[in-house]
Amino acid sequence: MNNDRTDAIRNLALIGPAGTGKTTLAETLLHTAGAIPQRGRVDRGDTVCDFEAREISMAHSLDTAVCHCEWQQTEINIIDTPGFTDFLPRAIATLPAVECAALVLSASGGLETGVRRMMKAAGDAQLSRIIIVNKMDTDPDKLDELLAEIQEAFGARCLPVNLPSDHGRKVVDCFFHESGDATDFSSIEEAHTRIIDQVVEVDEALMEAYLESGQNLDPQQLHAAFEQALRERHLIPVIFVSAETGAGVEALLDYIVKLLPSPREANPPPFMRGEGAGAEPVVVESEPDRHVVAHVFKVVVDPYVGRMAVIRVHQGTIRAGAQVFVGESRKPVKLSHLYKLQGKKTSEVAAAGPGDIIAVTRIESLGFNDVLHDSHDEDHFHVRLPEAAPPMMGIAIEPAQRGNEQKLSDALQKLCAEDPALRVEHRPGTNETVVMCSGELHLRLVVEAMKERFNVEVRTHPPTIPYRETITRPAEGHHRHKKQTGGAGQFGEVYLRIAPLPRGSGFEFASEVVGGSIPQQFIPAVEKGVRQALASGAIGGFPLQDIRVAVYDGKTHPVDSKEVAFISAGRRAFIEAIRSAAPIILEPIVQLQVTVPVDSLGAVTGHLSARRGRVLGSTSLSGQRIQVDAEAPLAELQDYANQLKSLTGGSGAWSMQLDRYEPVPPKVQQDLTRDLHEEEND
C-alpha cells in the first residue's frame, strides 16, 4: 500500500431530494467509466444501487448503497443515499465516510424538500460540497433562474464550472477554458472570470499576482487554492448534467478527479478522544503506515447471511486476516475477509488503506458508529456524527400472536443495529413497546421488514398518553372489611387521611396510628392496598400521584384480622377518600424546539396555538431558519411529525422532552373520565 494510492482516491456521497435522479446518475457514472457493461434503469429495477425488493417495487432508494469506478487512474467511491426526508438520518450517517457531498437537484424541481437540511449537515461535517443540476435538458430555459435560486439559498459562492449548451443537450467547460461554444445562458468568459476571482480570494499571494498581472491564471496553477476554497466553504461548484442522456457526465468525472479533494487534501475526519464535555478532537492522518483507524458507517443485518459492516478506512492499512479492536474492547476480532462493494455484489480484496471503503461480514460485535483500531492508543476514539433530528413519530407495537415477544424483541434489536433513525422504548407507565421513527413511510417499512425479513407479524396502535390523576384538597376515608365464610373470617378496619403534594412529588405513606389500634404488622398491608388503588385511578383509570396518605386509626379482631383484610380495607378507604378530595386528571406537557424556514414561521406557530400550545420565544438561525421554543400537551402532538412536514414542505425539524404535568381542561377531563365500578361488597 503506497502513498500514491491514497492520493488517487475520491469519495463522494450523492445527497438530495427523492426523484432528482441520484441513482440514475450513479448508474451513468459507473457505465461511462466502464465499471458496468450496460446501464440499468430505475423503472426496470436493475440498477446497481437499488437492489432491495422494496426499493425496486417503489422505484425509489430507501437505504444507502456503495459502488465504485475508476477514471483517469483514480478510484471513485460513490455512496448513493435515499432522498425521502424520512430517511435523511441514513444519508447523514454516511457523511463521515466521504470527503465531498454532492447535492443533486432536478432542473425542473428547484430547491425541493429537505435541501437546506442536507446542505447544512454536509457543511457541519466540514465536507467539501458541490451541487449537481441533473435533468438539465428537461427545462433548459429556466436553468438561469434555478442558478439564481441556488445562489440566493446558499450564497454567491455557488458558481458554475460548466454551462449548458444547445438547449441542455451538451455542456461546455468554463473553469479550464476561457472560451468555447455558445451557452444557454451567461457566457463562458463571465463564468470563468467569476470562479477564478472566487478561488484566488483564499490565497493572498495568488490574488496579488492575479491583480498585478491583469491576466487570468492558468487553472492548473489554482489546484491548491481551489482545494482550499472547498475546504473553507468559500466555494461550492455547480455542475450541469443529464444522467439520462449522458450529457456532461464525462465532464463530471473529470471534475471529480481534477477538482475534488483526495483524503489527504480534505478537512480531517471528525474524530474525538473521550466522551461528553471532556472529549477533544484528535488528528487522524491518511497515511498507510500508521496505526489502523477505521469507522463503521453502515450495518446490515440479514437473517440468513448475518451481519455486514461497511467501513471507511481513515488511517493505516487493514489486511485480510488482521486482528483489530472494536471501540474500547480489550479482545480483538479477526477480519477474515475484506470486500469491495458494487451495490449488492462483493469482490474480495487483500488489503485496504486510507480512503478505501470496504465491508466485513459475520462479526456480530460490530455496530453502527464503531471505531476499529489495532492499537490501544486509540481505545477512546469515536466519530462526532453530524447532527440529525431525532425520530419523533412513535407507534406502540406488539406481536400479533402471543408467545412471539422474544422474536419481536430480536427483530427490533437487529433493525435498530442497522438504522440510525430507529429507536425503541419500553414505557413502564403504560407497559408498551414504542417504536420511534422519522415518519409514516419509515414506520411502514419497519413493520414490513419485521414480517418479510424476520417472519414477525405485529399489531400497531398510537402510544397511550400517560395521563395521571391527583387530588386538589384534603379528605378522609374509612372502610371496614368484614367477611364470614363459616370458618375463619376476615376483619380489618382502616381510617386514613389524604392530602395533595406539590406537583412531581410522587407518593408518600405514613402511619400515625397510636395506641395499637392497628398492630404494626398490618401497616404494610394497608399501604399495599393503597398502592393498588393508586395504580387503577379514581375517575379516569389513570395512576394517581402527588398524594400523601396517613393511616391514623382502625380496629382489629383477635382471631379474624389478617393481612388480606387490611389490604382490602386500605384500598377501599383510600378510594372513598379520593372521591371526596376533588380528583382531577393531569396530562404531560412537553418542551418543544422546532426549527423551520422563516417563511413557515406563521403557519407553525399558528398550528401550535391551535393545538393548545404556547410559544415561549424564537431564535434566528443562519440559512433563513428560525428556532421556535414552545410547550404543548403531548396528547396534541401524536401526529406532529407529519403535520410539521406538511407545514414546512419537509424542511422542519423538531425535538421534545417531558417537562411537567398539568391539569387537563374541563372538557378534556369530561371526555377522558369513565365510571369506575366499585368492587362488590361481600
Side-chain angles (χ1 to χ4, degrees):
M1 188 69 58
N2 57 55
N3 291 350
D4 293 340
R5 188 179 179 284
T6 300
D7 293 329
I9 293 177
R10 304 290 183 271
N11 293 309
L12 180 73
L14 301 179
I15 63 174
T20 57
K22 298 184 297 297
T23 300
T24 300
L25 178 60
E27 194 78 6
T28 306
L29 288 169
L30 295 178
H31 180 250
T32 303
I36 54 176
Q38 62 182 22
R39 193 180 72 171
R41 293 184 60 89
V42 171
D43 54 7
R44 289 201 307 257
D46 59 355
T47 63
V48 169
C49 293
D50 284 355
F51 50 83
E52 296 289 350
R54 186 61 58 189
E55 292 179 314
I56 294 171
S57 65
M58 292 182 64
H60 277 288
S61 300
L62 302 175
D63 203 352
T64 56
V66 178
C67 57
H68 64 278
C69 62
E70 185 175 313
W71 187 255
Q72 296 180 4
Q73 291 79 51
T74 300
E75 183 174 350
I76 303 172
N77 294 311
I78 302 167
I79 303 179
D80 182 26
T81 70
F84 288 119
T85 55
D86 281 12
F87 304 116
L88 182 58
R90 297 185 181 183
I92 291 176
T94 69
L95 297 182
V98 299
E99 285 73 46
C100 181
L103 175 69
V104 182
L105 301 176
S106 169
S108 57
L111 300 187
E112 301 178 48
T113 297
V115 163
R116 290 174 176 83
R117 288 172 62 190
M118 296 175 191
M119 282 291 275
K120 182 180 184 301
D124 291 346
Q126 299 295 308
L127 298 183
S128 301
R129 292 173 293 177
I130 64 174
I131 296 175
I132 299 174
V133 178
N134 190 22
K135 306 181 184 181
M136 65 175 181
D137 53 324
T138 59
D139 205 353
D141 295 334
K142 294 186 178 180
L143 292 176
D144 56 339
E145 297 177 11
L146 176 58
L147 180 60
E149 187 179 357
I150 291 170
Q151 291 173 337
E152 182 180 357
F154 304 118
R157 59 186 170 171
C158 299
L159 296 172
V161 293
N162 70 357
L163 288 170
S165 177
D166 193 19
H167 300 287
R169 296 185 182 93
K170 61 181 182 179
V171 297
V172 290
D173 171 73
C174 54
F175 177 71
F176 293 103
H177 298 89
E178 300 179 44
S179 61
D181 294 342
T183 58
D184 289 342
F185 69 92
S186 185
S187 68
I188 298 176
E189 294 80 7
E190 178 187 351
H192 180 82
T193 299
R194 289 188 64 187
I195 198 166
I196 297 299
D197 288 349
Q198 188 77 7
V199 169
V200 299
E201 285 179 359
V202 301
D203 187 318
E204 290 186 8
L206 195 61
M207 182 167 63
E208 185 176 344
Y210 175 57
L211 294 175
E212 286 180 356
S213 68
Q215 298 177 352
N216 282 338
L217 299 172
D218 183 349
Q220 303 297 336
Q221 300 175 253
L222 298 176
H223 179 80
F226 195 98
E227 301 298 341
Q228 183 180 347
L230 290 177
R231 285 196 305 272
E232 296 178 358
R233 296 185 284 181
H234 188 68
L235 172 67
I236 300 177
V238 179
I239 303 170
F240 291 89
V241 302
S242 173
E244 185 64 33
T245 67
V249 172
E250 285 195 15
L252 174 58
L253 286 165
D254 287 341
Y255 293 139
I256 291 172
V257 170
K258 296 177 180 178
L259 300 181
L260 297 191
S262 72
R264 282 201 185 89
E265 293 170 322
N267 287 320
F271 278 87
M272 309 289 287
R273 185 197 298 272
E275 300 292 339
E280 297 180 349
V282 290
V283 176
V284 173
E285 299 178 349
S286 299
E287 300 300 333
D289 54 355
R290 304 289 177 88
H291 291 166
V292 168
V293 178
H295 175 240
V296 178
F297 67 91
K298 179 180 178 179
V299 171
V300 179
V301 182
D302 187 280
Y304 304 106
V305 177
R307 181 175 300 229
M308 180 178 74
V310 187
I311 299 167
R312 161 65 195 269
V313 181
H314 288 278
Q315 178 178 287
T317 301
I318 299 178
R319 291 182 169 80
Q323 291 193 331
V324 297
F325 300 102
V326 181
E328 298 177 21
S329 173
R330 311 301 290 183
K331 182 178 180 181
V333 297
K334 184 177 181 180
L335 306 180
S336 299
H337 303 277
L338 310 178
Y339 300 97
K340 289 286 290 183
L341 293 176
Q342 194 71 295
K344 67 179 178 180
K345 296 181 179 179
T346 60
S347 56
E348 194 162 354
V349 295
D356 281 325
I357 295 176
I358 58 170
V360 297
T361 60
R362 301 185 185 279
I363 302 178
E364 296 303 312
S365 60
L366 282 183
F368 171 73
N369 205 31
D370 278 344
V371 171
L372 308 184
H373 52 98
D374 60 0
S375 167
H376 288 301
D377 291 347
E378 289 80 27
D379 273 355
H380 301 284
F381 280 26
H382 70 274
V383 170
R384 184 184 67 246
L385 293 177
E387 185 176 346
M392 297 303 298
M393 182 177 179
I395 197 76
I397 193 167
E398 60 185 1
Q401 293 182 334
R402 295 185 62 182
N404 279 352
E405 287 79 9
Q406 188 58 49
K407 286 183 67 176
L408 172 62
S409 176
D410 292 344
L412 288 173
Q413 184 178 10
K414 291 174 181 176
L415 288 171
C416 286
E418 64 184 36
D419 190 344
L422 183 64
R423 193 172 74 236
V424 177
E425 302 174 355
H426 180 70
R427 299 183 177 176
T430 57
N431 194 30
E432 291 176 329
T433 297
V434 176
V435 175
M436 302 299 296
C437 298
S438 299
E440 282 188 3
L441 176 60
H442 189 196
L443 171 65
R444 176 160 63 89
L445 294 176
V446 167
V447 172
E448 290 175 356
M450 282 189 285
K451 180 180 179 181
E452 296 171 2
R453 293 173 53 189
F454 301 102
N455 196 29
V456 180
E457 294 197 29
V458 298
R459 290 192 295 264
T460 63
H461 59 86
T464 302
I465 300 298
Y467 291 107
R468 296 292 183 263
E469 297 179 22
T470 193
I471 59 174
T472 57
R473 65 188 182 207
E476 295 192 5
H478 160 252
H479 185 74
R480 173 185 288 185
H481 178 82
K482 184 177 181 181
K483 186 175 183 180
Q484 293 296 138
T485 58
Q490 296 179 9
F491 182 87
E493 188 169 0
V494 171
Y495 292 84
L496 52 76
R497 303 185 186 96
I498 64 174
L501 292 174
R503 198 80 71 232
S505 300
F507 170 68
E508 293 181 8
F509 181 85
S511 173
E512 298 176 359
V513 174
V514 294
S517 56
I518 299 178
Q520 185 62 35
Q521 68 265 30
F522 292 130
I523 297 298
V526 175
E527 181 179 358
K528 185 176 181 180
V530 169
R531 287 186 178 275
Q532 287 178 354
L534 277 174
S536 57
I539 57 172
F542 307 111
L544 285 148
Q545 66 180 32
D546 304 333
I547 298 174
R548 184 181 191 274
V549 177
V551 55
Y552 66 90
D553 201 2
K555 292 182 181 179
T556 61
H557 187 278
V559 175
D560 293 342
S561 287
K562 47 182 63 74
E563 181 179 340
V564 66
F566 279 95
I567 290 174
S568 179
R571 182 175 68 251
R572 298 296 293 275
F574 180 68
I575 291 172
E576 179 183 291
I578 286 290
R579 292 183 176 175
S580 302
I584 59 172
I585 295 177
L586 304 173
E587 64 179 345
I589 305 297
V590 297
Q591 293 279 353
L592 291 166
Q593 284 190 338
V594 188
T595 304
V596 299
V598 170
D599 55 9
S600 301
L601 178 61
V604 169
T605 55
H607 183 262
L608 282 172
S609 297
R611 295 276 185 118
R612 297 195 286 129
R614 187 161 67 96
V615 176
L616 304 177
S618 61
T619 305
S620 295
L621 305 175
S622 60
Q624 293 293 301
R625 299 179 70 78
I626 193 165
Q627 176 182 297
V628 178
D629 296 309
E631 59 183 24
L634 178 62
E636 300 288 346
L637 302 174
Q638 288 285 73
D639 191 36
Y640 193 65
N642 289 326
Q643 294 291 335
L644 184 64
K645 186 184 297 184
S646 175
L647 291 168
T648 64
S651 295
W654 69 299
S655 63
M656 69 177 180
Q657 61 180 8
L658 178 64
D659 184 55
R660 64 190 185 280
Y661 275 83
E662 283 190 355
V664 299
K667 178 63 170 64
V668 177
Q669 178 158 319
Q670 182 181 348
D671 293 340
L672 291 171
T673 300
R674 61 179 173 83
D675 294 328
L676 297 180
H677 299 285
E678 294 187 5
E679 297 177 18
E680 188 176 357
N681 189 4
D682 295 331

